[in-house]
Amino acid sequence: MAHGESNVDPVQLDRVRELLFSTAAEGLVLVDRTGAIRMHNPRLLELFGYREGELLGRSIEELLPHHIRQAHAAYREGYNAMPAKRHMGHGRELFGLRKDGTVFPVEVGLNHFTVDHELYVMGLVTDITERKKAEEALQRNNAELEKRVEERTAELALGAKAVEVAFQREKELNALKSRFVSMASHEFRTPLSTIMGSADLIARHAETGDRERILKHVQRIRTKVRDLTSILNDFLSFERISEGEPATQAEPIDIVHFCIGLAEELRGTAKPGQALEYDHGGEERAITVDRTMLLNAITNLVTNAFKYSPEGSPVTLHTSITNSVLDITVADRGMGIPTEDQPHLFTPFFRAQNVLTIQGTGLGLHLVKRYVDLMGGQIDFTSMPGQGSTFHMRIPENSQRP
Amino acid sequence: MMPLIADERSGAAPIATLEELARILDGVLLPEAYGTAMQRVAISPAVLEPLCLWNPRQYSRQCLHRTHSHELLLICYEPGQRTSIHDYDSQSAWIKPVLGQVVEERFGLAPDGSLVRQGMQVLSTGKLEHLGGEGTIHRHSNPGPGRAITLNLYARPIRRWRVYDERTGSSSLSGTPDAASE
Ligand SMILES: [Fe+2]
């Protein structure tokens, strides 16, 4: 008795075999040693798109795409020499060729048997188009998921880095702000008490109608308010410039009138007898730069020059334009910068030892350096204690013309 | 606003537009001709006012025209605004108020380097003033009550500008607060 068959009526058994063969969901094909199709079930016709009778006697290779037929024939020879029950196409994709020329993925199980010394090979062909589609979709989903996970991970990493950088920045800003608060409370006290004192004296002189003294104190109050405003301005500029990279806004200027306007505006910051001498070298006067940054940089240097020079001591401002590069020099004959302090001059809140008794935020030169950097320029200086300082800026023309 | 009447001594037609003035200035061969051209200027303040950039903190300066030999500036003063006490390297300067009036003060340097006021005059609308030579120290102010506009011609264009401090020098100036820069 054959394997898997019980004591069933042989006629019924034949019917069952016939049914199993004809209703199987897989295509069944039986080929002989030469590869000729000797038998198949209806499902095989359906799979490959043939009509009844069209496939019998034809080579099994006709059901394969052209490019693998030769290899398959050789493979079949090998199988005949050493037949075994197995799946075809381990690790490879197998394809069937329909009568209409279309190709579809298949899975093939092979078995062999011998009848009257004749070797037959039976193939069980399953159309795996749908499974492939599902697999591909799954792979696509997986790939997409992986990609999204990767992206999200990268985002998170970036976010964490950004948070860290922002946190560090915030910490530094906070530290700088508390330094400002302690600096401000110190620097504000003196002018505020001067203002209060002058206000009291104005009230007293008002009783006697001493106009000249009243005017003197009004002027003193104005000067002190200007000092306070300048401290606040320094800090506001510092905060603005520290919290982001302000974009430069280039515009064409006539450097001579720009500097004359500046000289006219800055005359109020001079001490008695301090003259400001401006001169421009060469014929070229036009340059495209960030007007506000340039204004702030020169203003800071000139007001410093007045501040750290004695009464009657002149300050000079010189400009020239060569090959689209603006050179600016601000020189004074003031107290100069101690040699040991010179390396720290552009550090925020740094104040040289010889100016500690003079009002100042320690932000001015730091701001100048930042403006010059933002304009793509350079700044350097030479200074001799007791003899004066010379600051030199080189600002290239801003190529992003307005 | 009434157009200004050109100074009749010039004996030539008034110059009523900036374009015409620029064209005439560009054709000048002898330095004296600049003064003649400025005498003829009768440009209505209505033409110039739209070009003014009024600044509450500081009188404003604008270059209207420039060549290698000369430059024409428009100077606008709010009431009470004034220039610094200054001089420059220009060989000649002509100043013509086209609106309001300005006060001109001239200064000299004492042997000790301090400033001494030498004179003062009012430049009324349409009056042409000439400043000759390097080192003519002066100051212009708008005494008010209205705005003042002047047309200034420099030949050659200014390249050096020296600001003096008014608190030194003659006693009449010492301690005067500089309202314009407040
Ligand atoms: Fe002048």
Side-chain angles (χ1 to χ4, degrees):
Chain A
M1 196 160 26
H3 222 46
E5 291 173 5
S6 58
N7 299 325
V8 187
D9 166 23
V11 178
Q12 274 195 28
L13 199 59
D14 273 350
R15 288 278 320 276
V16 170
R17 280 188 191 131
E18 170 61 26
L19 272 169
L20 271 176
F21 187 71
S22 62
T23 61
E26 289 81 21
L28 281 165
V29 61
L30 192 73
V31 299
D32 62 20
R33 176 176 282 280
T34 69
I37 296 171
R38 300 296 294 273
M39 195 179 166
H40 59 73
N41 69 349
R43 177 64 182 147
L44 192 84
L45 292 174
E46 241 176 72
L47 286 177
F48 287 86
Y50 286 91
R51 284 203 299 272
E52 185 64 46
E54 276 185 327
L55 278 178
L56 287 177
R58 289 166 86 159
S59 164
I60 185 71
E61 268 85 39
E62 286 189 42
L63 297 182
L64 305 177
H66 294 272
H67 67 280
I68 55 166
R69 283 183 185 175
Q70 208 176 342
H72 185 266
Y75 173 79
R76 195 161 41 71
E77 293 295 324
Y79 185 86
N80 288 344
M82 209 196 297
K85 181 177 174 180
R86 66 168 110 150
H87 279 283
M88 257 185 91
H90 254 304
R92 278 178 297 133
E93 308 242 276
L94 295 177
F95 294 94
L97 177 71
R98 293 196 190 93
K99 188 183 172 187
D100 65 7
T102 56
V103 172
F104 65 106
V106 294
E107 201 171 72
V108 181
L110 294 180
N111 203 354
H112 67 281
F113 47 88
T114 309
V115 178
D116 297 337
H117 306 292
E118 189 63 37
L119 176 75
Y120 292 95
V121 177
M122 190 184 78
L124 190 67
V125 183
T126 312
D127 180 350
I128 56 168
T129 305
E130 291 308 315
R131 199 174 82 197
K132 277 272 166 211
K133 270 189 201 162
E135 271 173 17
E136 273 167 21
L138 194 67
Q139 264 174 12
R140 258 201 316 275
N141 282 348
N142 280 347
E144 227 162 78
L145 201 66
E146 258 171 52
K147 195 169 150 237
R148 273 172 55 191
V149 167
E150 266 169 34
E151 280 170 1
R152 193 77 190 105
T153 311
E155 270 171 32
L156 285 173
L158 217 66
K161 183 86 194 140
V163 166
E164 197 190 310
V165 168
F167 180 67
Q168 200 52 38
R169 231 183 134 60
E170 194 59 34
K171 246 171 73 177
E172 278 168 28
L173 268 177
N174 278 337
L176 286 171
K177 278 176 189 168
S178 48
R179 289 193 66 175
F180 172 75
V181 170
S182 63
M183 180 273 299
S185 55
H186 178 257
E187 293 297 315
F188 272 48
R189 192 160 296 152
T190 320
L192 284 175
S193 64
T194 306
I195 289 169
M196 199 58 190
S198 284
D200 290 344
L201 288 170
I202 286 170
R204 191 180 304 167
H205 295 314
E207 287 165 18
T208 59
D210 189 339
R211 194 168 172 275
E212 200 165 313
R213 285 208 165 125
I214 290 174
L215 284 177
K216 189 179 105 186
H217 286 289
V218 166
Q219 179 55 17
R220 189 170 287 170
I221 289 174
R222 278 183 173 152
T223 307
K224 291 300 163 190
V225 169
R226 192 160 54 210
D227 287 352
L228 292 173
T229 311
S230 138
I231 293 175
L232 273 177
N233 283 344
D234 268 6
F235 190 67
L236 289 177
S237 308
F238 174 68
E239 197 180 31
R240 246 196 316 274
I241 220 165
S242 303
E243 282 185 345
E245 290 280 296
T248 51
Q249 287 190 326
E251 60 180 296
I253 60 166
D254 175 326
I255 191 66
V256 176
H257 287 297
F258 180 85
C259 287
I260 291 175
L262 204 66
E264 288 291 273
E265 191 136 11
L266 294 179
R267 67 192 137 119
T269 62
K271 290 191 187 120
Q274 285 183 329
L276 176 60
E277 290 168 29
Y278 167 65
D279 76 302
H280 179 77
E283 288 297 321
E284 186 56 75
R285 310 161 55 121
I287 187 130
T288 300
V289 286
D290 187 300
R291 170 184 278 271
T292 311
M293 288 191 191
L294 184 65
L295 186 93
N296 288 339
I298 302 178
T299 300
N300 256 298
L301 292 183
V302 172
T303 48
N304 270 358
F306 281 140
K307 192 157 127 184
Y308 301 121
S309 309
E311 291 187 6
S313 175
V315 170
T316 60
L317 168 65
H318 178 84
T319 58
S320 66
I321 297 170
T322 317
N323 299 326
S324 299
V325 176
L326 170 62
D327 281 280
I328 305 156
T329 308
V330 178
D332 65 57
R333 295 180 213 158
M335 58 174 57
I337 304 148
T339 316
E340 62 273 28
D341 288 340
Q342 292 185 8
H344 313 291
L345 212 58
F346 297 119
T347 309
F349 297 106
F350 178 79
R351 306 222 48 215
Q353 296 158 45
N354 58 343
V355 300
L356 294 177
T357 54
I358 303 172
Q359 284 238 290
T361 60
L363 287 174
L365 284 176
H366 169 71
L367 287 170
V368 172
K369 172 88 168 71
R370 292 279 288 136
Y371 289 130
V372 171
D373 287 346
L374 286 166
M375 289 186 284
Q378 290 162 317
I379 181 167
D380 51 50
F381 63 92
T382 52
S383 184
M384 282 286 282
Q387 289 185 29
S389 306
T390 301
F391 284 82
H392 174 226
M393 300 188 283
R394 269 179 88 78
I395 316 285
E397 175 138 53
N398 191 318
S399 48
Q400 309 154 280
R401 285 180 177 276
Chain B
M1 244 169 283
M2 287 282 289
L4 298 171
I5 305 303
D7 192 313
E8 52 211 24
R9 282 171 301 171
S10 64
I15 298 168
T17 67
L18 283 174
E19 293 73 22
E20 193 187 355
L21 176 59
R23 191 170 46 74
I24 289 166
L25 293 177
D26 290 354
V28 164
L29 294 173
L30 295 169
E32 306 89 87
Y34 284 123
T36 314
M38 285 299 279
Q39 288 282 11
R40 289 170 57 200
V41 167
I43 301 172
S44 158
V47 171
L48 297 172
E49 273 182 316
L51 303 174
C52 294
L53 293 172
W54 298 101
N55 178 348
R57 294 198 306 138
Q58 171 85 18
Y59 78 94
S60 79
R61 321 160 45 80
Q62 267 177 284
C63 183
L64 298 177
H65 177 68
R66 183 175 58 242
T67 67
H68 283 309
S69 359
H70 54 259
E71 68 181 329
L72 183 68
L73 261 66
L74 181 68
I75 317 282
C76 307
Y77 305 85
E78 292 283 7
Q81 287 184 338
R82 60 188 183 182
T83 68
S84 61
I85 300 171
H86 65 279
D87 64 3
Y88 28 70
D89 62 324
S90 186
Q91 285 127 353
S92 267
W94 290 266
I95 293 101
K96 187 166 199 170
V98 290
L99 175 74
Q101 54 180 3
V102 295
V103 171
E104 179 177 282
E105 295 162 277
R106 294 218 189 173
F107 301 85
L109 279 178
D112 68 348
S114 62
L115 285 172
V116 181
R117 186 157 69 175
Q118 294 174 330
M120 185 173 149
Q121 62 168 325
V122 175
L123 309 179
S124 50
T125 315
K127 179 174 160 45
L128 182 66
E129 170 66 357
H130 178 243
L131 286 168
E134 197 164 337
T136 308
I137 305 171
H138 62 282
R139 167 162 66 188
H140 290 131
S141 328
N142 174 14
R147 286 174 161 177
I149 301 174
T150 66
L151 269 179
N152 293 18
L153 177 69
Y154 302 93
R156 301 167 45 105
I158 299 171
R159 288 225 304 249
R160 233 180 17 247
W161 183 276
R162 187 185 159 101
V163 177
Y164 296 86
D165 183 75
E166 63 202 70
R167 286 166 294 188
T168 55
S170 72
S171 58
S172 63
L173 290 166
S174 67
T176 310
D178 190 344
S181 61
E182 292 299 310

